[in-house]
């Protein structure tokens, strides 16, 4: 346990980041925790609680996931992927918007869904699941707009200046959308155990999380064809995170939430992306070792 | 009902939580046990959660209590800084300012800083410490430091910063090395030399950034040797025909005659500094120190404003977009 925490600290330090992690063996409830109760800015990871609310309301009959939504290009929030990057009118179902939101972190799709279900509903879902420190206070478009405003006229270039990064409201968990690593693994476990809504909704949510395209963070720690990884990333200047579930062929399921802040203000820091996978792997290996030891003990003659 | 007295009630909560024992907590708070128990009960009623499970021998935090403990500590810490700030404000400009500088600041810079600060803030007593950036961050967290001068990159969470200044790095090399012929040395001209650098653990992000930039400029050292102290580094450069990176103001009369300092062509490498202080605590004395430090670095250490000049091309995986 102590060795594992030391290994995690070393991995984070080596990558030039500060890190927080909580990992949970969904089957046994065993956990691993390094600053897992600290408030973190969720950034795009809050698209996961939004997805849960969408499905909860669909399960309650409040909305139909095949409902078609008009997506006008005017007023789309900034973003490098999906509808946020597209130029023309589109018309998509709620569930296909959810696909874009989860697969490529589409800010425009996310805000259309957030408009449809309402901010308060997302907070009510969190409260119902006992996630008292998981709060959404603004849309994804508003989050991007705050970064743009705080960065000032220098644009993306100005984000290389630590003086500018220190004043970004979006990086203050007291201001923006927030949660803790522990609450996020608890949410993941609830999704995987079908405690959130119907199993059909559960399947749909797990499918979307497995369709996320990014290979560089959580998934990079598990270079095995027979290990299934499903997750959602979140990023802001100097902040990188991913929450997800790693499933082994022996049935082991591990919910992991990793959040890092790079010391460097550079936008491209591959080591900081990779350490999310490295840390998750260290944690999952430790949880799996505990499983094996427990199995061996119970197999011993009494 | 608890608004005014919340601080006192939270002190009781934290004391009982830390001592796991009403009697010990009461002793620590210098009060009797019955009123302490009443305070905890009142706080539980007010917050509408049970904070402790009580058995005859022991007090154990409930899940709710465990979750609320860090919040309570945070409120108490804030109250403490509020009182400290009020003290300095109430006394006008008098009081004590605890400030820190990193070890690599030259004596002339320290002297210029002190004289400028005294000129602007004569009544504040300055308690100056020599601390590395990591040590300064620790002291900020434990509220043992009001302001400091830090190296970037560092973890700026919870801090406010003054403008960032850069000190261009040049190269310290043996006088007879061919590269010493250049008035401004291109990085690629250092190719044959080992590089003497601080140990990576001291500042991994800066270490990696320096080596990456060297490589991009055509200099991948055959070996990297580690050294910290100025004389040790100079010794390695002399004896092993290595080179070291250093700002101009560290090359002075004490530099051994066998060594020369040269600027690097295009100034590709730099140390970056800024004043830093805990967010929300930048009072007049803190700002006077920050200004004095910036002024001293500019006038004595060739420091200049570090405005990013290179473009930043965000990639889609960045997830944010301006």
């Amino acid at each position: 346990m102590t060795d594992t925490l030391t290994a995690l600290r070393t991995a984070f330090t080596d990558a030039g980041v500060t890190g927080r992690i909580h990992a949970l063996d969904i089957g046994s409830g065993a956990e691993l925790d390094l600053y897992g109760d600290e408030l973190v800015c969720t950034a795009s990871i809050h698209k996961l609680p939004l997805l849960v609310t969408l499905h909860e309301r669909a399960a309650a009959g409040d909305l139909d996931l095949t409902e078609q939504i008009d997506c006008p290009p005017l007023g789309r929030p900034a973003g490098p992927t999906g509808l946020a990057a597209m130029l023309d009118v589109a018309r998509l179902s709620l569930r296909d918007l959810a696909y874009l939101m989860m697969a490529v972190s589409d800010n425009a799709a996310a805000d259309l869904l957030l408009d449809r279900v309402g901010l308060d509903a997302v907070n009510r879902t969190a409260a119902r699941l006992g996630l008292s420190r998981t709060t959404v206070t603004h849309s994804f478009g508003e989050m991007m707009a705050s970064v743009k405003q705080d960065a000032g006229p220098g644009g993306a270039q100005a984000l290389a200046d630590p003086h500018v990064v220190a004043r970004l409201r979006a990086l203050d968990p007291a201001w923006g959308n927030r949660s803790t690593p522990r609450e996020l693994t608890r949410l993941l476990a609830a999704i995987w155990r079908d405690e959130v809504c119907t199993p059909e909704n559960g399947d749909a949510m797990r499918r979307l999380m497995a369709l996320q395209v990014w290979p560089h963070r959580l998934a990079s720690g598990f270079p095995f064809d027979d290990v299934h990884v499903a997750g959602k990333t979140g990023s802001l200047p100097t902040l990188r995170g991913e929450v997800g579930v790693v499933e082994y062929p022996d049935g082991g399921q591990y919910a992991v939430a990793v959040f890092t802040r790079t010391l460097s203000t550079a936008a491209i820091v591959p080591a900081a992306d990779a350490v999310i996978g490295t840390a998750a792997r260290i944690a999952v290996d430790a949880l799996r070792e505990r499983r094996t030891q427990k199995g061996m003990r119970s197999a011993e003659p009494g | 009902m608890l608004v005014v007295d919340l601080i006192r009630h939270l002190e009781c909560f934290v004391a009982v939580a830390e001592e796991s024992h009403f009697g010990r907590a009461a002793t620590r708070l210098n009060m009797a046990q019955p009123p302490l128990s009443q305070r905890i009960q009142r706080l539980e009623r007010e917050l509408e959660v049970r904070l402790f499970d009580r058995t005859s021998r022991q007090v154990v935090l409930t899940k709710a209590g465990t979750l609320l403990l860090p919040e309570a500590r945070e409120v108490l810490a804030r109250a403490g800084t509020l009182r400290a700030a009020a003290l300095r404000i109430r006394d006008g400009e008098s009081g004590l300012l605890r400030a820190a500088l990193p070890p690599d600041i030259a004596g002339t810079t320290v002297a210029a800083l002190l004289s400028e600060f005294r000129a602007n803030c004569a009544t504040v007593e300055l308690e100056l410490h020599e601390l590395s950036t990591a040590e300064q961050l620790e002291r900020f967290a434990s509220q043992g430091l009001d302001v400091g001068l830090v190296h970037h990159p560092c973890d700026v969470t919870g801090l406010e910063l003054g403008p960032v200044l850069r000190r261009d790095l040049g190269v310290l090399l043996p006088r007879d090395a061919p590269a010493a012929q250049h008035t401004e040395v291109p990085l690629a001209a250092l190719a044959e030399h080992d590089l003497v650098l601080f140990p990576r653990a001291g500042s991994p992000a800066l270490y990696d950034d320096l080596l990456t930039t060297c490589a991009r400029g055509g200099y991948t050292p055959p070996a990297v040797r580690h050294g910290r102290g100025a004389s040790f580094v100079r010794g390695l450069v002399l004896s092993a025909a290595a080179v070291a990176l250093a700002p101009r103001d560290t090359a002075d009369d004490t530099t051994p005659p066998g060594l020369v300092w040269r600027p690097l062509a295009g100034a590709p490498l730099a140390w970056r500094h800024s004043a830093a202080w805990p967010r929300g605590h930048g009072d007049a004395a803190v700002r006077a120190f920050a200004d004095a430090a910036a002024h001293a670095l500019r006038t004595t250490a060739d420091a200049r404003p570090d405005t990013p000049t290179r473009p930043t091309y965000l990639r889609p995986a960045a997830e944010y977009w301006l």
Side-chain angles (χ1 to χ4, degrees):
Chain A
M1 175 75 178
T2 323
D3 289 351
T4 307
L5 294 181
T6 307
L8 286 168
R9 284 201 180 91
T10 308
F12 286 133
T13 309
D14 269 355
V17 305
T18 56
R20 293 150 187 73
I21 179 168
H22 190 261
L24 174 71
D25 182 334
I26 295 178
S28 73
E31 48 186 341
L32 212 134
D33 172 21
L34 185 68
Y35 308 118
D37 287 317
E38 282 189 14
L39 274 184
V40 289
C41 296
T42 40
S44 287
I45 288 171
H46 231 104
K47 287 163 185 164
L48 178 60
L50 169 56
L51 178 74
V52 172
T53 303
L54 181 76
H55 278 273
E56 199 181 45
R57 295 205 51 191
D62 292 346
L63 49 82
D64 175 358
L65 289 172
T66 61
E67 177 189 330
Q68 298 282 312
I69 298 279
D70 284 317
C71 317
L74 218 73
R76 276 181 192 160
T81 56
L83 286 173
M86 292 186 192
L87 302 176
D88 296 316
V89 174
R91 191 173 158 78
L92 288 167
S93 67
L94 288 176
R95 61 187 183 182
D96 283 348
L97 285 171
Y99 159 71
L100 286 176
M101 169 174 85
M102 298 306 288
V104 294
S105 206
D106 183 346
N107 286 328
D111 274 359
L112 287 166
L113 294 173
L114 190 57
D115 271 350
R116 186 69 178 78
V117 302
L119 218 70
D120 294 342
V122 180
N123 286 330
R124 276 199 301 276
T125 305
R128 186 178 69 82
L129 295 170
L131 310 177
S132 60
R133 303 174 77 199
T134 302
T135 312
V136 58
T137 61
H138 50 61
S139 71
F140 298 94
E142 283 164 341
M143 180 175 77
M144 287 300 139
S146 87
V147 175
K148 190 179 175 119
Q149 192 186 356
D150 294 347
Q157 205 180 12
L159 294 171
D161 184 349
H163 184 53
V164 172
V165 169
R167 71 175 185 227
L168 293 185
R169 284 168 292 162
L171 292 176
D172 178 3
W175 179 81
N177 299 342
R178 54 187 173 264
S179 183
T180 67
R182 182 190 298 276
E183 290 204 346
L184 289 165
T185 58
R186 188 165 160 192
L187 176 65
L188 290 166
I191 297 172
W192 254 254
R193 290 185 190 131
D194 278 327
E195 293 166 358
V196 176
C197 33
T198 68
E200 294 73 40
N201 291 108
D203 283 340
M205 289 190 282
R206 291 186 289 266
R207 168 181 171 264
L208 291 187
M209 288 184 70
L211 286 175
Q212 179 175 237
V213 297
W214 312 125
H216 58 327
R217 292 195 184 159
L218 182 61
S220 73
F222 302 88
F224 312 118
D225 286 355
D226 58 348
V227 171
H228 186 263
V229 180
K232 181 70 200 84
T233 57
S235 320
L236 281 168
T238 72
L239 180 148
R240 286 166 177 75
E242 184 160 355
V243 306
V245 172
V246 180
E247 297 177 85
Y248 275 70
D250 62 2
Q253 296 178 318
Y254 311 92
V256 191
V258 191
F259 286 83
T260 68
R261 290 282 307 270
T262 52
L263 307 188
S264 158
T265 52
I268 297 162
V269 189
D273 293 309
V275 76
I276 290 175
T278 309
R281 173 73 175 284
I282 291 170
V284 167
D285 280 353
L287 290 174
R288 286 181 63 73
E289 198 177 327
R290 273 194 243 170
R291 254 168 89 98
T292 322
Q293 283 168 356
K294 215 168 156 189
M296 277 165 61
R297 264 205 305 279
S298 58
E300 281 167 15
Chain B
M1 137 190 145
L2 274 175
V3 176
V4 176
D5 214 9
L6 179 65
I7 301 297
R8 191 68 190 135
H9 280 77
L10 290 179
E11 278 169 359
C12 295
F13 166 44
V14 171
V16 175
E18 286 173 355
E19 301 291 343
S20 302
H21 193 277
F22 273 96
R24 282 197 299 271
T27 312
R28 175 169 136 185
L29 294 164
N30 204 11
M31 65 192 289
Q33 200 174 324
L36 176 61
S37 300
Q38 284 166 18
R39 281 217 170 115
I40 296 294
Q41 285 166 16
R42 212 178 306 152
L43 186 62
E44 287 179 322
R45 276 202 303 277
E46 176 68 19
L47 299 177
E48 296 178 14
V49 288
R50 257 166 68 79
L51 299 170
F52 296 103
D53 285 324
R54 302 151 176 90
T55 64
S56 52
R57 317 224 84 226
Q58 228 188 345
V59 203
V60 184
L61 272 175
T62 60
K63 182 111 206 254
T66 311
L67 290 173
L68 288 172
L69 184 60
E71 310 277 350
R73 285 196 178 118
E74 173 78 18
V75 172
L76 292 181
R78 295 274 167 119
T81 24
L82 178 88
R83 285 196 196 104
L87 188 69
R88 206 153 53 218
I89 291 159
R90 197 167 62 216
D91 298 350
E93 285 216 330
S94 76
L96 176 73
L97 185 74
R98 300 162 302 173
L101 294 175
D104 53 81
I105 300 297
T108 47
T109 310
V110 179
L113 190 166
L114 287 175
S115 87
E116 163 125 358
F117 181 79
R118 288 220 184 89
N120 291 327
C121 232
T123 55
V124 174
E125 190 193 333
L126 186 64
E127 185 186 286
L128 199 55
H129 302 268
E130 187 189 67
L131 298 172
S132 71
T133 298
E135 289 166 338
Q136 291 185 43
L137 298 184
E138 273 171 34
R139 297 260 184 121
F140 285 139
S142 64
Q143 291 158 35
L145 188 66
D146 298 314
V147 62
L149 187 70
V150 297
H151 269 279
H152 292 285
C154 70
D155 181 9
V156 299
T157 312
L159 299 181
E160 278 180 68
L161 303 179
V164 179
L165 297 173
R166 60 177 284 153
R167 276 159 88 195
D168 290 329
L169 292 176
V171 62
L172 206 56
L173 67 175
R175 189 174 290 278
D176 53 8
Q181 316 259 316
H182 298 271
T183 45
E184 289 194 334
V185 180
L187 278 170
L190 300 172
E192 304 303 314
H193 297 277
D194 289 354
L195 178 65
V196 185
L197 204 54
F198 55 87
R200 185 174 183 275
S203 183
L206 179 61
Y207 183 99
D208 292 352
D209 184 46
L210 291 176
L211 284 185
T212 308
T213 309
C214 282
R216 187 172 162 177
Y219 173 39
T220 302
V224 178
R225 294 151 177 268
H226 291 149
R228 252 184 305 234
S231 18
F232 182 75
V233 169
R234 289 165 182 188
L236 273 184
V237 171
L238 265 180
S239 63
V243 300
L245 303 168
R248 181 195 299 272
D249 57 289
T250 54
D252 54 25
D253 304 343
T254 66
T255 308
L259 292 183
V260 288
W261 182 90
R262 295 279 182 268
L264 285 166
L269 302 170
W271 281 348
R272 290 175 175 79
H273 294 281
S274 81
W277 57 91
R279 183 174 291 161
H281 297 286
D283 64 11
V286 164
R287 288 183 190 274
F289 180 87
D291 291 346
H295 188 249
L297 280 172
R298 283 182 194 222
T299 50
T300 63
D302 273 344
R304 54 194 172 89
D306 185 41
T307 36
T309 51
R310 287 188 302 174
T312 297
Y313 300 115
L314 294 175
R315 296 177 186 173
E319 292 189 290
Y320 57 90
W321 210 246
L322 302 187

